[in-house]
Amino acid sequence: MRSKEIIEYIKSDLYRYTASVSFRNFILQYFLNRGFNFMVWFRCCKHPYKIIHKLSFLMLNWKRIRYKIDISDKTSIGYGFYIGHAGPIVINSTTIIGNNVNVSQFTSIGANETSGAIIADEVYIGPNVCIIENVKIGKASTIGAGSVVTKDIPENATAAGNYAKVLNYNN
């Protein structure tokens, strides 16, 4: 990944937090928002220069411990990723996350035997959600708080419960 691409990813993440990409907002969010701070180092881990990559990787590991956000640098995350209320978050390294996805606190996206979930664009994942194994969550879906997702969720659906069931479709 080139430097310009990394900057575009960081700008898109910043825009999700502030609806602006000014330098002032970058500084404010970097120092005041744990989720954004973590994502800056996550994005920098993709840098092609070894020295920047290694420094970023060290910082990311320190932030993992400090902020309790366990997202591997190998996880594929699209533009505009938003971590709401940074807290215990665990995302498997084989998970694929699309653009403009919101993840709330106490979220766990994992896999024991197969690859992780595939989450499409514009998905909102509420607090205390577990997404287990190789499930697909469709575009513009909403996963309600406290849900356990073990089956695919179609596009434009709202799902909740333990085990998550589709409650309605957002037409």
Side-chain angles (χ1 to χ4, degrees), residues 8-73:
E8 289 304 313
Y9 274 105
I10 292 171
K11 282 182 177 179
S12 68
D13 293 342
L14 178 62
Y15 189 81
R16 290 296 308 281
Y17 283 92
T18 65
S20 168
V21 290
S22 70
F23 184 70
R24 179 182 181 276
N25 281 339
F26 173 82
I27 296 298
L28 284 173
Q29 292 302 310
Y30 181 81
F31 287 108
L32 299 177
N33 191 314
R34 291 178 175 190
F36 180 72
N37 185 303
F38 180 86
M39 286 309 295
V40 167
W41 291 108
F42 175 85
R43 301 297 189 188
C44 289
C45 273
K46 311 284 187 191
H47 205 281
Y49 295 121
K50 295 255 186 213
I51 189 79
I52 294 173
H53 172 76
K54 287 183 180 184
L55 172 69
S56 301
F57 186 74
L58 290 172
M59 285 299 292
L60 184 68
N61 282 332
W62 183 67
K63 301 290 181 178
R64 274 188 191 128
I65 295 165
R66 185 164 183 223
Y67 297 157
K68 294 176 179 48
I69 300 174
D70 189 8
I71 303 173
S72 171
D73 61 314

Side-chain angles (χ1 to χ4, degrees), residues 80-149:
F81 189 69
Y82 181 88
I83 299 174
H85 306 291
I89 295 173
V90 178
I91 299 178
N92 187 297
S93 63
T94 59
T95 300
I96 299 171
I97 298 175
N99 300 326
N100 300 320
V101 172
N102 289 15
V103 175
S104 299
Q105 70 273 20
F106 298 103
T107 296
S108 178
I109 304 171
N112 289 326
E113 297 171 6
T114 62
S115 60
I118 297 172
I119 300 170
D121 300 343
E122 301 169 16
V123 172
Y124 172 80
I125 300 172
N128 205 27
V129 170
C130 293
I131 301 173
I132 302 168
E133 297 299 335
N134 188 20
V135 298
K136 292 175 179 63
I137 298 177
K139 182 177 180 179
S141 295
T142 302
I143 310 298
S147 299
V148 177
V149 180

